[in-house]
Amino acid sequence: MLRGPGGLLGVSVRPAAALAVALLSSLSHCSLLEPGDPVASALSPYFGTKTRYEDANPWLLPNPEAPRRDPNLLEEACTPVQLVALIRHGTRYPTAKQIRKLRLLHGLLQAHRPGNDRAGGGGGGGDLGARLADWPLWYADWMDGQLVEKGRQDMRQLALRLASLFPALFSRENYGRLQLITSSKHRCVESSVAFLNGLWQHCYPELPPPDVADMECGPPRINDKLMRFFDHCEKFLTEVEKNDTALYHVEAFKTGPEMQNVLRKVAATLQVPVNNLNADLIQVAFFTCSFDLAIKGVKSPWCDVFDTDDGKVLEYLNDLKQYWKRGYGYAINSRSSCTLFQDIFQHLDKAVEQKKRSQPVSSPVILQFGHAETLLPLLSLMGYFKDKEPLTAYNYKEQMYRKFRSGHIVPYASNLIFVLYHCKNAETPKEEFRVQMLLNEKVLPLAHSQKPVSLYEDLKNHYKDILQNCHTGQECELPKVNNTSDEL
Ligand SMILES: *[C@@H]1O[C@H](CO)[C@@H](O)[C@H](O)[C@H]1NC(C)=O
Ligand SMILES: *[C@@H]1O[C@H](CO)[C@@H](O)[C@H](O)[C@H]1NC(C)=O
Ligand SMILES: *[C@@H]1O[C@H](CO)[C@@H](O)[C@H](O)[C@H]1NC(C)=O
């Protein structure tokens, strides 16, 4: 039933699709990074949520449009009948807040530039300080987290790979039935459009894509209640988002021994007083290395500020924040995503019903565009990447081999895909529905069985509590304050 390892190379790309892929690869290579000549940094594994998709999925480096068929993907006896995908936006610019901090740090380096006010030591470190002071600060406020060209490319290429992997679902006939939903954030809307253009090129390689408004499937629909559920959950907002003490461990780690060590090293390298630096400025320097790499495809001098030990500490700082704000840190983080979880299963239920009645599936492909903050709570709700011990300010060493590493889970363009299959053959005389999940195009073993595939009923049964008893309205309601006793 499962494809054996021998089937790995048997990518089922139809000749027409293969031609489309070949045509497109020759077209898209004019922009940005030349495939085959990837710029990398030794720090890349530690960029957390700012990780390039291809760094988390290195098989893409030689050819980002070649689909990789996970050997565990079902085939033959089972026909994929529906695909529900949650997709994080592609590579983006830094936010205005990050740019402001970078400007601050850059100004600090210019003020301490060797030869500027004091005699520079002239050592290698001084050179780096000078190089950074001269580095053109090319980030501007208007960029504020918007999708970059590389981010559009992330989406187009993902669309092409998925279309090649599931040709029957991403067919011309289904193009008009595509259902696209997106967060209202510019980078997500733009991502959904770029993805749609990629699919268009897959289906109609000979035609330039029309304006999305004129596409048969219509423009992507904005739905923040679904894709940005965290903004609509009172309990989350009060107890976590706006609560100064909720991220206690993040703050404690910033002033803890590991971070202080990084601060001292960086201050010495850049020849600035350690008191002028803090964890936030260090983090923005580290992110600038990641942004220059992901956006411009250049290895920036900011990367030379850090060694891999520093990278690991800064990765932990980023993961700590994700853990306490989006992951297992507080139950409400994941409970607030119940609606999204249920929405996915409502789509699957509907497809199963239609299939059982021998009707065509009305929405064979559902594509939902959101954020790392959309995906992490949902994966936590489903029980993925849970470590035995919580991530705290005090167990950095013990968490060295943690499961919760956001760079592996939610890089740019990360995607969680539910594939519903209809199976009927000699082995399974009864008609059956099965589900597989893919995270970043790799089959994600089911949490309840560790198997690559599950009967749909078994999966629903495993998550029955969330499906039946998790109601966002109740979950997100703040506990009623009984003030009657105080008033007396
Ligand atoms: C803020 O977070 C702390 C730590 O989890 C918690 O004890 C406190 O009740 C929270 N405050 C509010 C207003 O929810
Ligand atoms: C509020 O507190 C008072 C006194 O503790 C109690 O008698 C009353 O039932 C409470 N009301 C609610 C709605 O919980
Ligand atoms: C107590 O609760 C009542 C009803 O919810 C509300 O109208 C009132 O403003 C509250 N009083 C205080 C002091 O919070």
Side-chain angles (χ1 to χ4, degrees):
M1 176 127 297
L2 297 179
R3 190 187 263 271
L8 234 176
L9 295 172
V11 180
S12 63
V13 185
R14 292 166 309 168
L19 182 66
V21 170
L23 270 174
L24 282 168
S25 36
S26 61
L27 280 177
S28 58
H29 286 179
C30 36
S31 58
L32 293 158
L33 298 163
E34 283 297 328
D37 184 24
V39 181
S41 160
L43 301 174
S44 295
Y46 313 114
F47 288 150
T49 48
K50 283 148 195 79
T51 300
R52 297 186 299 183
Y53 190 72
E54 60 271 28
D55 284 326
N57 301 281
W59 80 84
L60 293 171
L61 285 169
N63 180 0
E65 280 160 23
R68 171 187 176 276
R69 198 182 165 86
D70 188 308
N72 281 323
L73 265 188
L74 280 179
E75 58 160 15
E76 276 144 31
C78 296
T79 317
V81 293
Q82 190 181 51
L83 181 150
V84 184
L86 276 116
I87 302 170
R88 184 190 180 201
H89 58 77
T91 307
R92 64 161 172 84
Y93 283 119
T95 59
K97 200 166 138 197
Q98 287 166 327
I99 294 169
R100 270 198 301 278
K101 282 186 202 163
L102 179 60
R103 208 170 278 141
L104 212 73
L105 178 63
H106 195 236
L108 185 69
L109 290 174
Q110 287 180 327
H112 286 273
R113 202 197 143 97
N116 191 6
D117 48 12
R118 61 203 70 197
D127 287 353
L128 180 57
R131 269 202 294 145
L132 287 170
D134 290 340
W135 172 84
L137 203 171
W138 63 278
Y139 296 100
D141 288 331
W142 65 264
M143 294 173 175
D144 193 15
Q146 293 199 52
L147 194 70
V148 296
E149 184 49 35
K150 167 67 164 67
R152 291 191 180 84
Q153 185 177 299
D154 292 338
M155 289 294 120
R156 280 195 300 269
Q157 291 173 340
L158 177 63
L160 287 172
R161 292 193 304 272
L162 289 180
S164 300
L165 216 46
F166 300 101
L169 291 176
F170 291 94
S171 63
R172 276 193 192 194
E173 305 77 72
N174 282 348
Y175 197 84
R177 286 191 281 170
L178 292 171
Q179 217 190 100
L180 281 86
I181 292 153
T182 176
S183 136
S184 63
K185 285 280 169 183
H186 190 267
R187 55 183 170 275
C188 298
V189 176
E190 291 287 296
S191 288
S192 66
V193 171
F195 192 97
L196 207 44
N197 285 340
L199 288 185
W200 178 273
Q201 289 171 345
H202 173 84
C203 293
Y204 304 97
E206 68 282 4
L207 294 175
D211 195 276
V212 276
D214 301 329
M215 281 192 187
E216 216 184 326
C217 57
R221 277 182 292 129
I222 288 171
N223 186 341
D224 278 346
K225 281 230 165 89
L226 211 52
M227 305 317 294
R228 293 180 62 82
F229 48 79
F230 41 89
D231 279 347
H232 297 264
C233 182
E234 270 318 312
K235 187 170 175 182
F236 171 76
L237 292 175
T238 307
E239 294 185 354
V240 184
E241 176 88 56
K242 297 178 192 158
N243 179 350
D244 287 339
T245 53
L247 299 190
Y248 166 81
H249 286 284
V250 179
E251 296 309 316
F253 190 71
K254 282 182 184 171
T255 53
E258 292 86 2
M259 205 56 221
Q260 288 307 309
N261 185 38
V262 175
L263 275 166
R264 273 195 302 274
K265 278 165 74 182
V266 171
T269 304
L270 300 180
Q271 301 192 337
V272 295
V274 69
N275 292 338
N276 286 6
L277 293 177
N278 60 43
D280 288 346
L281 291 177
I282 296 291
Q283 195 174 33
V284 87
F286 185 61
F287 285 160
T288 305
C289 165
S290 81
F291 282 124
D292 279 2
L293 186 69
I295 299 171
K296 286 201 149 179
V298 299
K299 207 178 146 207
S300 113
W302 292 99
C303 305
D304 297 329
V305 176
F306 306 99
D307 61 27
T308 52
D309 285 336
D310 304 332
K312 287 175 191 171
V313 172
L314 288 160
E315 181 197 19
Y316 192 67
L317 178 61
N318 190 356
D319 284 350
L320 264 182
K321 181 173 165 200
Q322 300 302 330
Y323 181 88
W324 289 97
K325 209 168 165 183
R326 310 293 172 182
Y328 292 101
Y330 300 104
I332 189 62
N333 298 353
S334 58
R335 297 298 277 186
S336 61
S337 73
C338 285
T339 316
L340 178 59
F341 184 78
Q342 289 161 359
D343 179 75
I344 294 164
F345 279 78
Q346 278 158 18
H347 289 301
L348 299 171
D349 275 348
K350 190 169 173 194
V352 166
E353 281 315 308
Q354 290 173 327
K355 213 60 205 165
K356 278 185 178 163
R357 291 200 212 107
S358 304
Q359 293 168 348
V361 173
S362 47
S363 294
V365 177
I366 294 143
L367 304 160
Q368 307 188 315
F369 295 83
H371 307 264
E373 293 83 351
T374 314
L375 282 168
L376 279 177
L378 188 75
L379 286 164
S380 301
L381 186 72
M382 297 183 74
Y384 286 104
F385 308 108
K386 183 169 191 175
D387 294 288
K388 288 207 179 73
E389 297 292 326
L391 275 62
T392 73
Y394 314 109
N395 62 6
Y396 169 72
K397 273 215 185 74
E398 291 78 3
Q399 294 288 8
M400 196 64 88
Y401 301 102
R402 64 191 175 278
K403 295 180 189 159
F404 196 87
R405 287 188 72 192
S406 49
H408 293 191
I409 311 169
V410 282
Y412 294 124
S414 47
N415 47 89
L416 177 67
I417 298 179
F418 294 75
V419 188
L420 178 71
Y421 296 88
H422 184 230
C423 309
K424 195 166 166 50
N425 70 346
E427 262 178 75
T428 58
K430 209 169 126 264
E431 86 176 336
E432 283 178 353
F433 291 92
R434 298 186 183 218
V435 182
Q436 288 198 295
M437 286 171 62
L438 290 101
L439 180 63
N440 304 329
E441 299 166 79
K442 287 164 292 213
V443 167
L444 187 63
L446 282 315
H448 65 282
S449 62
Q450 295 306 313
K451 298 240 169 74
V453 57
S454 169
L455 282 175
Y456 182 53
E457 282 313 307
D458 290 351
L459 188 67
K460 277 180 71 171
N461 195 42
H462 175 66
Y463 289 118
K464 126 177 124 228
D465 178 57
I466 306 171
L467 290 171
Q468 291 168 5
N469 303 324
C470 187
H471 304 290
T472 304
Q474 286 168 18
E475 300 289 330
C476 288
E477 204 169 284
L478 281 167
K480 285 240 170 23
V481 186
N482 185 351
N483 60 11
T484 49
S485 46
D486 293 349
E487 278 180 17
L488 295 174

